């Protein structure tokens, strides 16, 4: 849950090939413009950004899809639009 404008939330999951994935947020505040970023973990443990979504404006959620991904661990970051952050283990 995003509690304030500087908050960033991360979630990780293991995705398998031959599936479609929908990643979405629900609006939490009429003045908050959310953005999503999708990352994939590489074999060496580093992460690479695969996609980003910031199409909706304040007061709306965001959505992105992932079609038939490579098996592996993925991360999604949800944060106010325009913010930056890093993955911490």
């Amino acid at each position: 849950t995003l509690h304030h404008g500087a908050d960033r939330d991360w979630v990780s999951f293991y995705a398998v090939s031959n599936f479609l994935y929908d990643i979405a947020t629900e609006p939490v505040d009429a003045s908050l413009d959310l953005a999503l970023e999708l990352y994939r973990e590489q074999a060496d443990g580093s992460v690479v950004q695969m996609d980003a979504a910031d199409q909706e404006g304040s007061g709306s959620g965001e959505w992105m899809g992932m079609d038939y991904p490579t098996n592996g661990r993925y991360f999604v970051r949800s944060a106010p639009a325009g913010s930056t952050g890093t993955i911490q283990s």
Side-chain angles (χ1 to χ4, degrees):
T1 303
L2 296 173
H3 299 286
H4 51 78
D7 198 2
R8 294 158 184 81
D9 286 341
W10 291 90
V11 64
S12 69
F13 62 97
Y14 189 87
V16 295
S17 61
N18 297 322
F19 285 92
L20 302 174
Y21 294 85
D22 290 332
I23 302 164
T25 63
E26 296 290 327
V28 294
D29 184 291
S31 64
L32 184 60
D33 180 11
L34 288 176
L36 291 174
E37 295 174 348
L38 175 68
Y39 297 82
R40 181 171 185 272
E41 185 176 44
Q42 303 299 299
D44 65 0
S46 64
V47 295
V48 173
Q49 186 173 350
M50 305 297 291
D51 198 3
D54 184 17
Q55 302 300 313
E56 305 299 326
S58 297
S60 298
E62 282 295 339
W63 176 91
M64 69 171 57
M66 188 168 65
D67 298 346
Y68 311 111
T70 303
N71 289 346
R73 187 174 179 198
Y74 291 81
F75 298 87
V76 175
R77 182 177 84 108
S78 176
S83 65
T84 60
T86 57
I87 296 175
Q88 301 186 12
S89 49

